[in-house]
Amino acid sequence: MAFYSKDVDPVFHGAGAKPGLEIWCIEKLRLVSVPKSLIGKFYSGSAYVVLSTSVLKSGPTQHDIHYWLGNDANEVDSALASDKALELDEALGSCAVQYREVQGQETEKFLSYFKPCIIPAEGVYTSQQGTLNGDTYQVTLLTCKGDHVVHVKEVPFSRSSLNHNDVFILDTASKIYLFCGCNSSIQERAKALEVVQYIKENKHTGKCDVATIEDGKLVGDSDVGEFWSLFGGYAPIPRDLALGGTQHVDSPVILYWINLQGKLSQIGSESLDKDMLEKDKCYMLDCGAEVFVWMGRNTLITERKTSISAAEDFLRKQDRSNGTHLTFLTEGLETLIFKSYFNSWPQTVDTKLYDEGREKVAAIFKHQGYEVKELPEEDIQSYINCRGTLKVWRVDDHELFLIPASEQTKLYSGDCFIVQYTYPGNERDESLFYAWFGHGSVLEDRADAIFQMNAIVDSARGDPVMAQVAQNKEPLQFFLIFQTLIVYKGGISAGYKKFIAETGIDDDTYDEKKTALFRVQGTSPENMQAIQVDHVSSSLNSSYCYILQSENSVFTWIGNLTSSKDHDLLDRMIELINPAWQPVSVREGSEPDSFWSSLGGKTEYPREKEMKKFIEDPHLFKLICTEGDFKIKEIYSFTQEDLTTEDVLVLDCNKEIYVWIGRHSTIKSKQEAINLGLKFLQTDILEEQLSLESPIYVITEGHEPPFFTCFFEWDPSKANMHGNSFERKLATMKGKTSSGSAPSRNTLKSRSREATPDGLRSRSSSSNGWERRLSPASTISGSHLKISDNQNVPSPTLVARKLFTESSPYQDSPIVESSFPSTNENSNQIDATETSANSLIYPYQRLTVSSPEPVSGIDVTKREAYLSEEEFAEKFGMPKGAFYKLPKWRQNKLKMTVGLF
């Protein structure tokens, strides 16, 4: 592979060396770099190549290449973008996945790079950006779909485009209207508000009014009149419209071989096997809504270009929808979706092919002067104070027994324990609860441990974090709060004793008079453990140190692959287990016969260095549970903003998972959240071979611990907001906060009765789809609010009133209704007073929306106010005083007729 070949476009020099986005556009049949200031702005007449580079936690970089085709892009530019994407992949060592993106049908992965949205402009991109042609502001109607990433699509500016299921944005020169269909979800409305803010900042320089329009509200609101007047007057929206969205149709899965001339030959259907894919060939997998091109490692770039062109031609000839996603995969980089169409795909990942390309790319970057990071050491940082208070209970016969402080760092593998750790937080003490299952514990004790822990958590102050942990799968944080831990074999509980008696198993509970073998592990004196293992030689491992206790002597065994740090931990652990011991130290390879005889003889054991598994980057998933149906959806490029209060989310960190419960979710208890976590582990959506015993943390919104927030760029003020997601967006659109204390713990169960899932709204809801209730957060009593530092922060409802004083989605609340004036007379008087005092006068020609010489520095929502009295009367046929007594919607309609709105 010739990385320095003249065939590689010079514009790709250094591409992918640093994390982030890099974008190129086809201009006059050549590729030009798009400056960072224009990243996120696309033109419908152009074709782009987008490279996303991220540095994984395991060290290497990951590349994703997308080529984006505008709806008006010509075929030549589109084909060139496809070729350039493949050329970029070649320059990066063929270690990137390539995606074709078509305007309006982009993948969620692509849209996640450009939050909150992309709104392509008409025309073509030019690197010599000048003044935009035309000064007339184009009124546009947009529809917004999606709860985490938003598909924004322009639709005809017509009443017939509106429906009850979607959220719409009407963008005019002086005001942006948000129309929420009564069947749209809270999350979609909240995301649409982000789009409104984006349009306001990018198209109006932050200077325009915003109004929300309720579906079904007709009177008592001037914004409603204004909105419908833009459509020529109100007319009802038909109620029998089918729900939007493409209906999924199962299509046969067909595998084609693509020959050197680009001809497709079917070689299999439905029942496919990985062995059908040969390294020196290219294939196309047609799955209906998605098409993949698989390129063997031994294929040439000319063969790959031919295959990609063949796949694109195939879609054109079959007149496939633009929504058909096309993905290009190099051998070794297969996505999970692609592999799922094959009956057998090896679970083990062959990283050799993948690393070959990365090593070559790393060499190129170093040659070009770029820094290339090596694989980092495992992060052993604790994100909480580990000098707190520890309490441990043993579960025994449906009861809890508190372990004395001197014994609480000693656990038994046949028992279950509940651990409470209290540590100083930012403002108050925080608690963390674990239910620890010994690997030999009985199911009855495990169930009791969860039940008892849940009961303790329910009665505890605040809303503590709760976790389920199994022996040998403990998370780092568990070890750090113990600092020193000894795990003995056997058990004390009645359930364990009964189990071994019924099954005839020998009781191997630790006894100082019996032979015992301990593996010593850890990273420091604040994180070290001694784990009792079977006292046989096969339990040894050259990567560890061991303590062997027999009837007559004590040995310490030092593996050949251990370090001085390991030896120090070994000495410290001897002191903790039994300070009176006088051990005999032996190194691996020089053991006396008495050592082996204590282990029942010498046998083989692992002697190679224990390789650390790559640390996978975390993934965030939304759990969708409706009427027994369980679905999982990944959220790409996630941020704190994706922790939506109506959702239940899972942060998959490979070694452990976190189930996050939004305050407005339908989860009734943390016990239910643990069950959802177990379902997630069973699904193993990323095919990580997750153990069903992986640690499961349960975290409630507003009580996120530092070892969870470290995965985000965390803003504490956003974590303590009241109201649903839409109310919160309303509260922050003008920089106002609505933070306060989180609800008290006893609101977790009650909120399941207060919150109603979007798809199961009560029929007693108003026609606009908003429920006749205050949000759970707004009904918290004053005593619950005492936790907050700021008692005077307004609720989102109050902020919403101020933000949208004449159009609020909370009209059903009697409190809100009483705060609104019955007419608009007061506001009209204010306008008249202001304009009469205005001393700035400009000619009509310079005040119009389409003026070639527009006046700057004026309030564009009141252009008419800058007219002279004479010119005002000439244009409007009435004096200013009479004009400002008209309803607001009537004023705006008149202003539109004369080009001032």
Side-chain angles (χ1 to χ4, degrees):
M1 192 176 296
F3 291 95
Y4 300 101
S5 168
K6 294 181 180 179
D7 295 335
V8 176
D9 197 317
V11 77
F12 289 141
H13 178 80
K18 296 180 180 180
L21 286 178
E22 295 170 84
I23 302 181
W24 300 267
C25 185
I26 305 296
E27 181 185 15
K28 297 178 181 178
L29 299 180
R30 65 186 183 91
L31 202 63
V32 296
S33 179
V34 175
K36 290 188 179 296
S37 61
L38 294 179
I39 285 182
K41 185 171 184 179
F42 293 84
Y43 287 86
S44 60
S46 296
Y48 295 78
V49 176
V50 177
L51 172 64
S52 171
T53 302
S54 56
V55 179
L56 301 181
K57 200 171 181 181
S58 54
T61 54
Q62 175 176 294
H63 303 293
D64 288 290
I65 299 172
H66 307 255
Y67 64 96
W68 184 90
L69 309 178
N71 287 337
D72 300 325
N74 61 54
E75 290 187 12
V76 175
D77 285 354
S78 299
L80 185 54
S82 173
D83 289 346
K84 288 298 181 181
L86 183 61
E87 186 178 317
L88 176 58
D89 179 45
E90 178 85 354
L92 293 171
S94 296
C95 58
V97 177
Q98 301 170 60
Y99 305 85
R100 185 187 71 159
E101 307 286 351
V102 178
Q103 180 181 342
Q105 304 292 339
E106 296 89 351
T107 62
E108 292 200 356
K109 188 180 188 73
F110 180 79
L111 291 177
S112 71
Y113 306 146
F114 307 101
K115 292 181 178 178
C117 64
I118 60 171
I119 306 178
E122 292 185 1
V124 296
Y125 173 83
T126 171
S127 53
Q128 303 296 324
Q129 292 291 339
T131 304
L132 292 176
N133 294 327
D135 297 298
T136 302
Y137 194 90
Q138 185 69 38
V139 176
T140 55
L141 181 64
L142 307 169
T143 180
C144 301
K145 295 184 179 182
D147 51 6
H148 285 278
V149 296
V150 187
H151 285 86
V152 179
K153 181 181 178 182
E154 184 174 352
V155 294
F157 179 24
S158 167
R159 186 192 301 109
S160 60
S161 295
L162 302 176
N163 62 59
H164 298 293
N165 304 314
D166 296 323
V167 183
F168 296 85
I169 296 172
L170 179 61
D171 180 22
T172 70
S174 58
K175 184 177 287 190
I176 304 173
Y177 299 86
L178 177 68
F179 176 86
C180 301
C182 59
N183 296 327
S184 61
S185 71
I186 298 293
Q187 294 98 315
E188 282 189 315
R189 299 176 189 189
K191 296 304 291 186
L193 273 177
E194 292 183 15
V195 178
V196 168
Q197 185 68 24
Y198 172 84
I199 295 173
K200 180 178 178 180
E201 292 175 356
N202 289 274
K203 295 183 69 176
H204 298 267
T205 64
K207 298 176 182 178
C208 74
D209 291 337
V210 174
T212 58
I213 307 299
E214 297 179 56
D215 184 6
K217 184 174 177 60
L218 306 179
V219 295
D221 192 320
S222 62
D223 284 330
V224 173
E226 291 176 18
F227 176 78
W228 287 114
S229 69
L230 294 170
F231 291 91
Y234 173 77
I237 300 172
R239 292 280 174 180
D240 57 349
L241 289 178
L243 286 175
T246 304
Q247 298 298 316
H248 176 73
V249 178
D250 288 332
S251 303
V253 177
I254 303 174
L255 182 66
Y256 298 90
W257 166 53
I258 308 174
N259 68 16
L260 298 179
Q261 289 74 42
K263 182 180 178 181
L264 275 63
S265 303
Q266 181 175 334
I267 62 171
S269 177
E270 300 302 331
S271 183
L272 304 176
D273 193 272
K274 180 182 182 297
D275 293 337
M276 301 172 74
L277 305 176
E278 300 180 26
K279 293 179 179 292
D280 58 351
K281 294 180 180 179
C282 294
Y283 301 84
M284 187 185 82
L285 183 68
D286 181 10
C287 308
E290 188 157 21
V291 174
F292 299 89
V293 173
W294 185 91
M295 301 170 288
R297 274 282 167 182
N298 296 341
T299 55
L300 301 174
I301 190 169
T302 53
E303 297 176 66
R304 299 182 183 188
K305 283 186 177 181
T306 300
S307 299
I308 291 174
S309 297
E312 293 172 332
D313 289 341
F314 173 82
L315 295 182
R316 277 193 293 269
K317 290 176 181 178
Q318 290 212 345
D319 198 24
R320 290 287 183 91
S321 162
N322 283 340
T324 303
H325 290 145
L326 188 53
T327 306
F328 309 103
L329 307 165
T330 303
E331 180 185 356
L333 301 175
E334 297 84 1
T335 63
L336 293 172
I337 297 176
F338 177 82
K339 291 189 286 187
S340 69
Y341 289 109
F342 291 79
N343 294 329
S344 59
W345 198 281
Q347 291 295 314
T348 55
V349 179
D350 182 9
T351 59
K352 182 179 179 182
L353 293 175
Y354 194 60
D355 291 339
E356 283 178 359
R358 295 197 178 280
E359 288 171 5
K360 292 176 182 178
V361 175
I364 294 172
F365 286 160
K366 286 182 178 179
H367 178 76
Q368 294 176 350
Y370 294 101
E371 180 183 0
V372 179
K373 295 183 178 180
E374 303 296 333
L375 184 66
E377 290 293 323
E378 184 178 4
D379 185 8
I380 58 171
Q381 175 183 357
S382 174
Y383 291 93
I384 64 173
N385 188 317
C386 290
R387 300 288 180 180
T389 304
L390 188 67
K391 284 185 179 180
V392 181
W393 293 268
R394 187 179 70 252
V395 178
D396 194 351
D397 199 20
H398 309 298
E399 295 185 21
L400 296 182
F401 294 88
L402 183 64
I403 307 298
S406 60
E407 298 292 316
Q408 64 186 9
T409 59
K410 300 175 182 177
L411 307 181
Y412 286 84
S413 62
D415 294 338
C416 293
F417 295 84
I418 294 175
V419 178
Q420 178 185 3
Y421 181 68
T422 305
Y423 61 96
N426 290 332
E427 300 171 0
R428 58 181 181 271
D429 284 350
E430 302 285 355
S431 291
L432 171 60
F433 285 86
Y434 288 99
W436 183 86
F437 305 152
H439 65 69
S441 59
V442 297
L443 291 177
E444 188 176 15
D445 283 351
R446 295 187 179 198
D448 279 349
I450 292 295
F451 175 81
Q452 298 279 12
M453 176 174 66
N454 207 41
I456 296 173
V457 168
D458 276 343
S459 62
R461 295 177 59 188
D463 210 344
V465 175
M466 191 171 94
Q468 172 181 301
V469 174
Q471 183 182 351
N472 299 327
K473 295 291 183 181
E474 297 92 347
L476 176 63
Q477 191 60 61
F478 181 83
F479 286 141
L480 290 175
I481 64 175
F482 273 93
Q483 298 193 12
T484 301
L485 181 64
I486 303 171
V487 180
Y488 296 110
K489 292 178 72 69
I492 302 173
S493 72
Y496 174 77
K497 297 297 185 184
K498 180 182 177 182
F499 171 75
I500 61 174
E502 291 176 347
T503 56
I505 299 174
D506 292 336
D507 188 354
D508 59 356
T509 302
Y510 175 73
D511 186 336
E512 291 183 356
K513 299 178 181 179
K514 296 180 181 179
T515 301
L517 181 65
F518 294 90
R519 182 183 70 244
V520 178
Q521 61 188 38
T523 57
S524 70
E526 288 74 37
N527 171 29
M528 61 179 186
Q529 304 87 40
I531 313 297
Q532 187 179 357
V533 296
D534 293 338
H535 53 276
V536 292
S537 56
S538 58
S539 296
L540 298 175
N541 187 309
S542 298
S543 297
Y544 294 98
C545 295
Y546 291 79
I547 300 171
L548 174 61
Q549 167 199 339
S550 64
E551 295 181 6
N552 304 318
S553 58
V554 175
F555 293 96
T556 56
W557 185 85
I558 301 173
N560 285 335
L561 300 179
T562 57
S563 64
S564 58
K565 177 187 66 178
D566 299 319
H567 308 160
D568 177 60
L569 297 183
L570 176 65
D571 294 338
R572 290 173 180 271
M573 196 57 75
I574 284 284
E575 289 292 320
L576 289 170
I577 296 178
N578 192 333
W581 280 349
Q582 298 294 323
V584 176
S585 179
V586 297
R587 298 194 71 89
E588 181 180 3
S590 59
E591 303 86 351
D593 292 340
S594 57
F595 176 86
W596 295 118
S597 62
S598 297
L599 294 177
K602 184 177 181 179
T603 59
E604 286 301 313
Y605 58 85
R607 298 173 186 268
E608 295 182 356
K609 186 172 180 61
E610 231 181 37
M611 299 300 294
K612 290 182 180 179
K613 185 180 179 182
F614 275 157
I615 308 167
E616 298 289 342
D617 275 41
H619 295 259
L620 186 66
F621 297 91
K622 176 180 177 179
L623 303 187
I624 306 168
C625 311
T626 54
E627 299 180 357
D629 192 16
F630 182 75
K631 295 181 180 179
I632 301 172
K633 176 183 176 182
E634 181 164 11
I635 300 171
Y636 299 101
S637 308
F638 65 85
T639 65
Q640 184 183 355
E641 294 287 340
D642 289 306
L643 301 179
T644 310
T645 187
E646 291 83 12
D647 289 339
V648 178
L649 303 168
V650 168
L651 183 67
D652 179 4
C653 299
N654 190 254
K655 291 184 177 180
E656 67 250 4
I657 68 171
Y658 299 84
V659 180
W660 182 89
I661 309 171
R663 290 184 199 153
H664 290 72
S665 71
T666 57
I667 294 300
K668 299 179 179 63
S669 69
K670 291 190 174 182
Q671 172 70 63
E672 185 180 350
I674 283 183
N675 292 336
L676 289 176
L678 287 170
K679 280 188 176 182
F680 179 85
L681 293 176
Q682 290 170 350
T683 306
D684 193 15
I685 191 170
L686 294 179
E687 295 186 7
E688 304 168 280
Q689 302 183 52
L690 291 174
S691 168
L692 293 181
E693 294 188 333
S694 297
I696 302 173
Y697 284 93
V698 177
I699 295 169
T700 51
E701 182 185 4
H703 294 270
E704 295 87 353
F707 53 87
F708 174 82
T709 61
C710 66
F711 295 105
F712 302 82
E713 291 184 7
W714 196 259
D715 181 352
S717 65
K718 293 181 181 178
N720 289 313
M721 296 186 72
H722 297 315
N724 63 38
S725 53
F726 185 76
E727 293 168 347
R728 296 179 187 190
K729 296 298 181 186
L730 290 177
T732 56
M733 274 196 68
K734 288 193 174 181
K736 297 180 180 181
T737 61
S738 182
S739 60
S741 64
S744 64
R745 178 61 193 90
N746 59 16
T747 62
L748 180 61
K749 291 183 178 178
S750 63
R751 72 163 172 253
S752 64
R753 297 188 294 271
E754 295 171 317
T756 306
D758 294 324
L760 301 173
R761 287 196 181 89
S762 168
R763 290 298 178 186
S764 64
S765 297
S766 65
S767 64
N768 61 13
W770 291 88
E771 298 154 17
R772 296 179 181 271
R773 61 171 179 82
L774 291 174
S775 68
S778 65
T779 61
I780 299 172
S781 67
S783 60
H784 295 155
L785 293 174
K786 289 181 181 178
I787 303 173
S788 173
D789 281 341
N790 188 350
Q791 301 290 333
N792 299 317
V793 178
S795 71
T797 305
L798 293 176
V799 176
R801 291 181 205 158
K802 297 174 182 176
L803 186 56
F804 304 115
T805 55
E806 296 175 346
S807 177
S808 170
Y810 314 108
Q811 295 285 354
D812 291 327
S813 166
I815 299 176
V816 177
E817 286 178 347
S818 65
S819 68
F820 285 98
S822 57
T823 69
N824 295 316
E825 292 177 1
N826 292 338
S827 60
N828 291 338
Q829 290 297 327
I830 293 172
D831 285 339
T833 304
E834 288 178 348
T835 54
S836 64
N838 179 33
S839 60
L840 297 175
I841 302 297
Y842 296 100
Y844 167 76
Q845 289 81 4
R846 295 193 62 193
L847 290 171
T848 60
V849 174
S850 58
S851 172
E853 296 181 79
V855 179
S856 60
I858 64 170
D859 184 348
V860 294
T861 66
K862 295 185 176 67
R863 296 174 186 269
E864 78 288 349
Y866 299 92
L867 290 170
S868 65
E869 292 289 344
E870 296 77 12
E871 203 163 24
F872 188 99
E874 178 188 341
K875 297 298 179 184
F876 289 95
M878 66 183 78
K880 288 185 178 180
F883 176 86
Y884 287 118
K885 290 180 180 180
L886 297 173
K888 194 76 172 179
W889 68 268
R890 177 67 175 158
Q891 294 177 24
N892 289 341
K893 190 169 184 179
L894 289 173
K895 288 194 289 184
M896 284 187 67
T897 62
V898 295
L900 294 176
F901 183 84

